[in-house]
Amino acid sequence: MRLVFLGPSGAGKGTQSARLIEYIGATHLSTGEILREAVRSGSEEGRQIEQFLAAGGLVPDPLIIQIFARHLAGLKADDNILFDGFPRTLPQAEALDHLLEERGTPVNGVFYIQVETEELLRRLAGRGRNDDRVDVIRHRLEVFSKQTEPLIDHYEQLGLLHVIDGVGTEDEVFARIKEGIENIRRQKAESENESS
Ligand code: AMP
């Protein structure tokens, strides 16, 4: 299965993705993690990336698509993969569709973890990472609603969207995700039956 996690910073993607990976035995492909690791490495690419992260903006599409494609190429075609933090823009979604088409393994489902802005600000204020200053957080949320929300429509039109209420205990939220997974599995089994 190829799954996409969408949601603003603070929606709980990190926690929930860790649980989902264990549940379905998937590889985690988190662009946020990849980018932070690149910054830590101090490479030339890392220095370029650092400026975008510090400002709370997005890494430009051509650069992130290149980095993403490089990491995807390292995974086997039949691996279960959870894409976390990618795509974040329509051009990235198109790039993902294209890359997966080449591999013959399309996206099976998209989880949008939904949390109100006020609640997000409250959660992020308590996290204390150095890219979590209030002005940076606000900017990241604005970027999400401008650049990433259009993806919600995109995946809805493709019939792939699962909206998950991100408010509640970790277990409650994960139970909603599991329900989505079971639906995806059922649909997948049905369509495989039809074509055989
Ligand atoms: P995250 O941990 O997913 O919230 O990502 C942290 C930061 O990395 C984001 O605020 C962006 O600056 C950058 N980033 C992560 N994924 C992407 C992406 N797909 N496109 C552009 N920038 C990204």
Side-chain angles (χ1 to χ4, degrees):
M1 269 200 284
R2 267 64 45 195
L3 303 172
V4 174
F5 251 32
L6 291 179
S9 291
K13 276 183 300 161
T15 315
Q16 296 297 333
S17 60
R19 294 188 64 165
L20 181 55
I21 282 156
E22 208 188 306
Y23 182 66
I24 61 169
T27 300
H28 191 201
L29 217 168
S30 157
T31 45
E33 281 302 318
I34 290 168
L35 295 173
R36 282 188 289 276
E37 177 54 39
V39 170
R40 275 195 297 273
S41 79
S43 66
E44 174 56 35
E45 196 171 70
R47 276 196 295 277
Q48 243 181 308
I49 291 166
E50 191 167 19
Q51 297 161 19
F52 300 112
L53 296 200
L58 293 183
V59 173
D61 284 334
L63 179 58
I64 189 74
I65 289 170
Q66 193 195 334
I67 294 171
F68 175 83
R70 206 162 67 210
H71 281 80
L72 181 66
L75 302 179
K76 292 199 292 291
D78 57 358
D79 280 351
N80 286 332
I81 310 172
L82 178 62
F83 300 110
D84 179 359
F86 188 99
R88 260 182 161 89
T89 65
L90 280 173
Q92 290 179 24
E94 281 156 16
L96 178 64
D97 286 346
H98 182 71
L99 287 165
L100 290 180
E101 199 177 307
E102 282 177 348
R103 293 164 64 94
T105 56
V107 170
N108 304 102
V110 176
F111 290 93
Y112 168 41
I113 320 281
Q114 195 175 37
V115 177
E116 295 261 310
T117 306
E118 282 311 303
E119 169 69 11
L120 290 173
L121 288 170
R122 210 177 50 74
R123 291 183 185 183
L124 290 164
R127 203 161 72 167
R129 239 166 43 193
N130 66 0
D131 60 346
D132 278 348
R133 291 203 328 266
V134 173
D135 53 334
V136 174
I137 290 169
R138 281 199 182 274
H139 182 55
R140 271 213 308 262
L141 295 179
E142 278 165 29
V143 168
F144 180 83
S145 68
K146 240 199 334 246
Q147 310 259 57
T148 309
E149 270 177 6
L151 295 188
I152 295 162
D153 289 341
H154 172 76
Y155 286 120
E156 165 120 69
Q157 276 164 26
L158 294 174
L160 293 171
L161 189 70
H162 298 258
V163 179
I164 303 291
D165 178 1
V167 179
T169 64
E170 278 179 25
D171 285 346
E172 283 163 352
V173 176
F174 190 62
R176 295 170 195 145
I177 293 174
K178 272 202 297 204
E179 220 172 286
I181 292 289
E182 295 319 319
N183 285 333
I184 293 167
R185 282 185 170 148
R186 248 193 315 277
Q187 279 165 9
K188 208 164 172 267
E190 277 165 22
S191 71
E192 279 162 10
N193 276 343
E194 273 165 30
S195 61
S196 69

